[in-house]
Amino acid sequence: MEARKILLNEDEMPRQWYNILADIKMNPPLGPDGKPVTPDALAPVFPMNLIEQEVSSERWIDIPEEVLGILKIWRPSPLVRAFSLEKALGTPAKIYFKNESVSPPGSHKPNTAVPQAYYNKEFGIKRMTTETGAGQWGSALSFACSQFGLECKIFMVRVSFDQKPYRKSMMSTWGGQCVASPSMETKAGRDALAKDPNTPGSLGIAISEAIEAAVTDPSGKTRYSLGSVLNHVMLHQTIIGLEAQKQLAKVGDYPDVVIGCAGGGSNFAGLAFPFVLDKINGKAIEIYPVEPAACPTLTKAPFVYDHGDTARYTPLLPMHSLGHAFVPPPFHAGGLRYHGMAPTVSQLVVEGLIKPKAVTQLDAYAAGILLARTEGIIPAPETTHALACVVEEAKKAKEEGKAKVILFNWSGHGLLDLMAYDKYFAGELSNFVLEDKEIEAAEKVFENFPKPAIMKSR
Amino acid sequence: MEARKILLNEDEMPRQWYNILADIKMNPPLGPDGKPVTPDALAPVFPMNLIEQEVSSERWIDIPEEVLGILKIWRPSPLVRAFSLEKALGTPAKIYFKNESVSPPGSHKPNTAVPQAYYNKEFGIKRMTTETGAGQWGSALSFACSQFGLECKIFMVRVSFDQKPYRKSMMSTWGGQCVASPSMETKAGRDALAKDPNTPGSLGIAISEAIEAAVTDPSGKTRYSLGSVLNHVMLHQTIIGLEAQKQLAKVGDYPDVVIGCAGGGSNFAGLAFPFVLDKINGKAIEIYPVEPAACPTLTKAPFVYDHGDTARYTPLLPMHSLGHAFVPPPFHAGGLRYHGMAPTVSQLVVEGLIKPKAVTQLDAYAAGILLARTEGIIPAPETTHALACVVEEAKKAKEEGKAKVILFNWSGHGLLDLMAYDKYFAGELSNFVLEDKEIEAAEKVFENFPKPAIMKSR
């Protein structure tokens, strides 16, 4: 019987991350003066060792031993051959996935939370702040901080805080302190509450609160942390794709198609970037980031300079954006409800190295249920978007009679999102598809911003 | 750096289960007539191939290839060296655990759900019924039935059904149909509701409903399934201990102490029985089933003949029992709230081969939080009872300056039980310790039952 799971031993783990900045040209982030942001300007927000990583153009960056030691709690993650799905679809395609749901918080997020906590600790930081929407990222940072003895403070968007009380419990169990945002603890929070005491909150406000809580700590021992979008976050996630390459080599396979869902871009980048390097070096391979049709950043929005947050605290980043004031419709994949996209992922779209796709919520859940009943794991709502694309590609391979190799990222499990499945079965979920005029209206906010150069790296 | 996880490849999985009935003498189960139950009498309830397994005295029983194929979704489970816990406790003990939380439903339960579904399917059965308390078992059977294309119907104790809606969602996602018990679908349920329309339900009533729903199906294609207590359930779980033996051999270690929590007995038996065989063959080893002080079946209750359910539908089983009418106090580890204990586990206590321990709820949660913050995984409330014993043993090893090897079973994760952690942090949990007179009162129910022989097998 062929193996379902292709495993690596801990001593086969990659010892370096892959930094895509070595291989593509990027527009720089811009400060309030319209000039490229200097590392010093970011020093109150992030520790300098992470800022150095953010701007590094070294292709390979060593993973510290202490980080590997913690990652080994769940890594290397299994590469799984999806035999049951293949059989259910009757496809000649060989389908593989990296199972990133096996981490204690249940997603790929701790791949960067652990090194971020490590570098903060190394820099003498005692306390980290962050925001969280659906809760995956806040859980991951709480877990990572517990491993390094750091305090962790999480501002969780109120509507999610109220809807998903278990996420707060998870953070508390690891010692993190989670408060609903807007809170009375920051000026940004108090201002938001003064404006609307019943506000459901937003990721934008939560980011503002977390940044403010970090930079106003008089001890200077607090820093802010972001779970996606930034270069160093993508860097840390590349361990996923680097492991997958080793695992596929063990069974003598190589993907024709690589697929990951994309919200801020980190789980997609983690799997895909090492394969992008192969593509740059001449491999024929299709690479698809998959986003919700209700938040079509890569498929419908322009490549612009925009802020990462609603309150415009962050530098201007070169990315595909629906506008920093855009509020996505209330679909369930909270991790994909982001107006922008990682600048590195955006640049790869500009260069034509990757091809974005969009799927609707109902197609995503249908695929999620098919996967739960074949491969056994209940997927996170975010992951179901990748699954819908996988099912489509597998069906296409069947029509074409091609034994394609498809690789995708199972970014997380849905055990803390089961209410969404209930709603699907009850027929209470619907599709949200944005009209072009809604998108045009949202994009007005960056009309007067500088424009990034449209560059090809080769 | 030493490995945290000792892995097996799929082709190193055990190919046979260990059947402890080959090595110990047992009192037979008794029917309503006071005589040993015949296989035929059980035929309306279970498929004959499982009944044969229930009464088999073959020491080794082959695991079917089809069963192995499904178990490989998550098995072999990792054996983990708990370096971080050892460091936190400053103990010279080497601590290992089997991580059974990695299965899709999150516990050891699918180790038996999968073979039970397989044997039912082989026997031509189309639909399985069962009861569930906290929900781990119902989830596991839904998952297993989805793999074999069987229908699955779960009667879930109403109080848990209302408190843990996510468990029902999980079962639905795998295609199982979960209803609150008592329901209007069975006579047993209707009678219970007629007596008290607001009853919170009980495991006893839910068992009665599930058995009735199986035996009254006119097609004859429905059977009942039990997730613990019975011999064949313990048999299927032994894959845990058999894997652990192979994994420990890889690192040249052997346990001085083996620990598992015990409710009905199945996760404990799964890890411990292969080591009991070693002990019978001369190995010096301490083996501890750990139960809640609030439901002290093995530590305080007598070894008697009693029914497995409140409604007295089951045969009389030889076991330690607090009485089939006993209602445990409302502590959170639902999987340990059972009045009886597996007959095989009970017999091992009678023979002095294993030594039961009891721990309080608050000690259990304190240990659970320590483990979450060191080893990273948030344990199920049931598992925390084993953890409290592990911490005690590790501290004792420190006092004695002994480099003992401790092995325990991490039976499940607590991601669907996080509310209990919230209550712990809020100071809302308390200890329940039963008074001797409460136990004596509960035990009145079997005063006039036949008495099992107190036998030693050698």
Side-chain angles (χ1 to χ4, degrees):
Chain A
M1 201 185 309
E2 274 185 286
R4 270 183 181 266
K5 303 184 297 304
I6 299 114
L7 303 177
L8 295 178
N9 285 315
E10 292 174 9
D11 57 13
E12 296 173 292
M13 276 175 84
R15 257 47 189 177
Q16 296 182 309
W17 291 299
Y18 166 59
N19 180 12
I20 202 159
L21 296 187
D23 293 297
I24 53 172
K25 289 180 198 156
M26 296 281 292
N27 288 277
L30 303 180
D33 56 1
K35 291 183 183 165
V37 172
T38 62
D40 283 349
L42 296 171
V45 181
F46 299 108
M48 193 51 75
N49 47 8
L50 274 176
I51 296 170
E52 284 164 9
Q53 222 167 49
E54 178 69 15
V55 300
S56 169
S57 57
E58 291 290 318
R59 184 170 288 115
W60 299 101
I61 294 181
D62 289 345
I63 308 177
E65 279 294 308
E66 294 86 338
V67 169
L68 286 169
I70 310 299
L71 295 182
K72 285 174 182 177
I73 287 176
W74 74 98
R75 301 206 76 84
S77 72
L79 180 76
V80 182
R81 173 79 185 271
F83 285 116
S84 303
L85 176 67
E86 291 172 18
K87 197 175 155 195
L89 295 174
T91 178
K94 290 166 97 169
I95 306 175
Y96 292 93
F97 62 88
K98 275 295 268 186
N99 183 2
E100 292 295 311
S101 78
V102 297
S103 76
S107 81
H108 68 293
K109 290 287 185 191
N111 294 334
T112 184
V114 170
Q116 287 196 48
Y118 167 77
Y119 287 114
N120 273 276
K121 171 103 175 181
E122 280 293 293
F123 195 69
I125 299 306
K126 305 287 184 202
R127 184 166 166 268
M128 296 178 73
T129 66
T130 198
E131 74 290 330
T132 199
Q136 287 276 21
W137 170 242
S139 307
L141 194 64
S142 293
F143 160 75
C145 284
S146 80
Q147 289 290 323
F148 289 104
L150 296 172
E151 286 179 51
C152 186
K153 172 86 176 208
I154 305 102
F155 294 87
M156 185 168 183
V157 177
R158 172 167 289 286
V159 60
S160 296
F161 184 92
D162 292 340
Q163 279 172 357
K164 298 189 174 189
Y166 277 18
R167 278 286 171 193
K168 184 197 171 208
S169 317
M170 206 176 191
M171 298 180 224
S172 306
T173 304
W174 281 314
Q177 196 203 351
C178 175
V179 296
S181 169
S183 76
M184 291 300 285
E185 298 186 21
T186 65
K187 182 175 180 304
R190 288 188 297 271
D191 286 353
L193 287 170
K195 208 167 148 192
D196 178 4
N198 298 316
T199 174
S202 75
L203 215 43
I205 297 169
I207 294 177
S208 305
E209 288 208 275
I211 294 176
E212 185 183 326
V215 301
T216 58
D217 175 3
S219 78
K221 298 293 188 192
T222 300
R223 289 295 182 278
Y224 168 74
S225 169
L226 193 62
S228 192
V229 179
L230 299 178
N231 302 338
H232 66 274
V233 178
M234 306 295 129
L235 174 80
H236 300 155
Q237 293 291 356
T238 59
I239 194 167
I240 302 171
L242 295 166
E243 283 181 5
Q245 289 180 329
K246 285 191 170 198
Q247 287 162 312
L248 285 167
K250 285 200 174 196
V251 288
D253 265 331
Y254 190 86
D256 298 295
V257 185
V258 173
I259 296 167
C261 64
S266 80
N267 95 81
F268 166 76
L271 179 66
F273 281 7
F275 292 96
V276 171
L277 176 57
D278 287 355
K279 187 166 183 170
I280 290 171
N281 290 330
K283 280 272 188 191
I285 178 169
E286 295 295 329
I287 304 175
Y288 303 138
V290 187
E291 58 188 15
C295 192
T297 317
L298 289 172
T299 51
K300 295 227 171 168
F303 180 64
V304 295
Y305 265 120
D306 196 8
H307 293 283
D309 66 320
T310 313
R312 306 175 57 172
Y313 280 17
T314 76
L316 284 169
L317 300 171
M319 59 183 179
H320 289 80
S321 176
L322 290 159
H324 58 263
F326 176 71
V327 179
F331 61 90
H332 269 272
L336 306 183
R337 300 183 72 239
Y338 186 62
H339 68 275
M341 182 56 66
T344 46
V345 173
S346 295
Q347 178 63 28
L348 292 175
V349 173
V350 170
E351 305 212 12
L353 284 163
I354 62 178
K355 283 187 203 157
K357 307 223 170 205
V359 301
T360 62
Q361 177 160 267
L362 293 180
D363 284 352
Y365 275 96
I369 287 154
L370 175 62
L371 268 284
R373 294 181 184 178
T374 49
E375 298 303 317
I377 308 158
I378 297 176
E382 292 78 12
T383 310
T384 61
H385 290 74
L387 303 180
C389 180
V390 169
V391 169
E392 192 187 301
E393 287 296 310
K395 286 180 178 169
K396 202 164 74 183
K398 186 180 179 181
E399 284 162 22
E400 296 171 354
K402 285 190 187 161
K404 275 187 194 172
V405 177
I406 299 171
L407 170 67
F408 72 96
N409 199 2
W410 198 305
S411 59
H413 65 62
L415 300 190
L416 288 134
D417 305 276
L418 284 163
M419 216 53 88
Y421 284 91
D422 269 355
K423 289 188 182 167
Y424 177 82
F425 289 121
E428 291 169 13
L429 291 191
S430 56
N431 283 333
F432 301 98
V433 182
L434 290 191
E435 308 249 346
D436 286 347
K437 62 183 179 189
E438 293 177 85
I439 296 173
E440 281 159 28
E443 289 166 2
K444 286 250 161 69
V445 295
F446 48 67
E447 255 176 12
N448 299 317
F449 291 174
K451 299 283 175 274
I454 307 294
M455 303 180 289
K456 291 236 177 186
S457 302
R458 56 192 55 74
Chain B
M1 201 185 308
E2 276 185 284
R4 270 185 182 265
K5 303 184 298 302
I6 299 112
L7 303 177
L8 296 177
N9 284 316
E10 292 173 8
D11 57 12
E12 297 173 292
M13 274 176 83
R15 257 47 189 176
Q16 297 181 309
W17 291 300
Y18 166 58
N19 180 13
I20 203 160
L21 296 187
D23 291 297
I24 53 172
K25 290 180 196 156
M26 296 281 293
N27 289 277
L30 304 180
D33 56 1
K35 291 181 182 166
V37 172
T38 63
D40 282 348
L42 297 172
V45 183
F46 300 107
M48 193 51 75
N49 47 9
L50 273 177
I51 295 171
E52 284 163 9
Q53 221 169 50
E54 177 70 14
V55 300
S56 169
S57 57
E58 290 291 316
R59 184 170 287 113
W60 299 100
I61 294 180
D62 288 345
I63 308 176
E65 279 295 307
E66 295 87 338
V67 170
L68 286 170
I70 309 300
L71 295 181
K72 286 174 182 178
I73 288 177
W74 74 99
R75 303 206 74 85
S77 71
L79 179 76
V80 182
R81 174 79 184 273
F83 286 116
S84 302
L85 176 66
E86 292 172 17
K87 196 174 154 195
L89 296 173
T91 179
K94 289 166 98 168
I95 305 175
Y96 292 94
F97 63 87
K98 274 295 267 185
N99 183 3
E100 292 295 311
S101 78
V102 296
S103 76
S107 80
H108 68 293
K109 289 288 185 191
N111 294 333
T112 184
V114 171
Q116 287 195 48
Y118 167 78
Y119 287 114
N120 272 276
K121 171 103 174 180
E122 279 293 293
F123 195 69
I125 299 305
K126 303 290 184 199
R127 183 166 166 267
M128 296 179 74
T129 66
T130 197
E131 73 290 331
T132 198
Q136 287 277 20
W137 170 243
S139 308
L141 194 64
S142 293
F143 160 75
C145 284
S146 80
Q147 289 291 321
F148 289 103
L150 296 172
E151 286 179 51
C152 185
K153 173 87 175 206
I154 305 104
F155 294 87
M156 185 168 184
V157 177
R158 174 167 287 286
V159 59
S160 296
F161 184 92
D162 292 340
Q163 280 172 356
K164 298 189 175 191
Y166 277 20
R167 278 286 171 196
K168 183 196 172 210
S169 317
M170 206 175 191
M171 297 179 224
S172 306
T173 304
W174 281 314
Q177 194 203 353
C178 175
V179 295
S181 168
S183 76
M184 290 301 284
E185 299 185 21
T186 66
K187 182 176 180 304
R190 290 188 294 271
D191 286 353
L193 287 171
K195 210 168 147 189
D196 177 4
N198 298 315
T199 175
S202 75
L203 215 44
I205 297 168
I207 293 176
S208 305
E209 288 207 276
I211 293 176
E212 186 183 325
V215 301
T216 58
D217 175 3
S219 78
K221 297 293 187 192
T222 300
R223 290 295 183 280
Y224 167 74
S225 168
L226 193 63
S228 192
V229 179
L230 298 179
N231 301 338
H232 66 275
V233 178
M234 306 295 130
L235 174 78
H236 300 156
Q237 293 291 356
T238 59
I239 195 167
I240 302 171
L242 295 167
E243 283 181 5
Q245 290 179 328
K246 285 191 169 196
Q247 288 162 311
L248 284 167
K250 286 201 173 194
V251 288
D253 264 330
Y254 191 86
D256 299 295
V257 185
V258 173
I259 296 168
C261 65
S266 79
N267 95 80
F268 166 75
L271 179 66
F273 281 8
F275 292 97
V276 170
L277 176 57
D278 286 355
K279 187 166 183 169
I280 289 170
N281 290 330
K283 279 274 189 189
I285 179 170
E286 296 294 330
I287 303 175
Y288 303 139
V290 187
E291 60 188 13
C295 193
T297 316
L298 290 172
T299 51
K300 294 227 171 165
F303 180 65
V304 295
Y305 265 119
D306 196 8
H307 293 283
D309 67 320
T310 313
R312 303 175 60 170
Y313 279 17
T314 77
L316 285 168
L317 300 171
M319 60 182 178
H320 288 81
S321 175
L322 290 158
H324 58 262
F326 176 70
V327 179
F331 61 89
H332 269 273
L336 306 182
R337 300 183 70 237
Y338 185 62
H339 68 275
M341 180 58 65
T344 46
V345 172
S346 294
Q347 178 64 25
L348 292 176
V349 172
V350 169
E351 304 211 12
L353 284 164
I354 62 177
K355 282 188 203 158
K357 307 223 170 205
V359 300
T360 63
Q361 176 160 266
L362 293 180
D363 283 353
Y365 275 95
I369 288 155
L370 174 63
L371 268 284
R373 293 182 184 177
T374 49
E375 298 304 317
I377 309 157
I378 297 177
E382 292 78 12
T383 311
T384 62
H385 291 75
L387 304 180
C389 179
V390 169
V391 169
E392 192 186 301
E393 286 296 309
K395 286 181 178 169
K396 202 163 75 183
K398 186 179 179 180
E399 284 162 20
E400 295 171 353
K402 285 189 187 162
K404 275 185 193 172
V405 176
I406 299 171
L407 170 67
F408 72 96
N409 199 2
W410 198 304
S411 58
H413 65 63
L415 299 191
L416 288 134
D417 306 276
L418 283 163
M419 218 53 91
Y421 284 91
D422 269 355
K423 288 189 182 168
Y424 177 82
F425 288 122
E428 290 167 14
L429 291 190
S430 55
N431 283 331
F432 300 97
V433 181
L434 291 190
E435 308 247 344
D436 285 348
K437 61 183 180 190
E438 293 178 86
I439 297 173
E440 283 160 27
E443 289 167 0
K444 286 253 160 71
V445 293
F446 47 69
E447 255 175 10
N448 298 319
F449 290 173
K451 300 282 176 274
I454 306 295
M455 303 180 290
K456 292 239 177 184
S457 302
R458 53 194 58 75

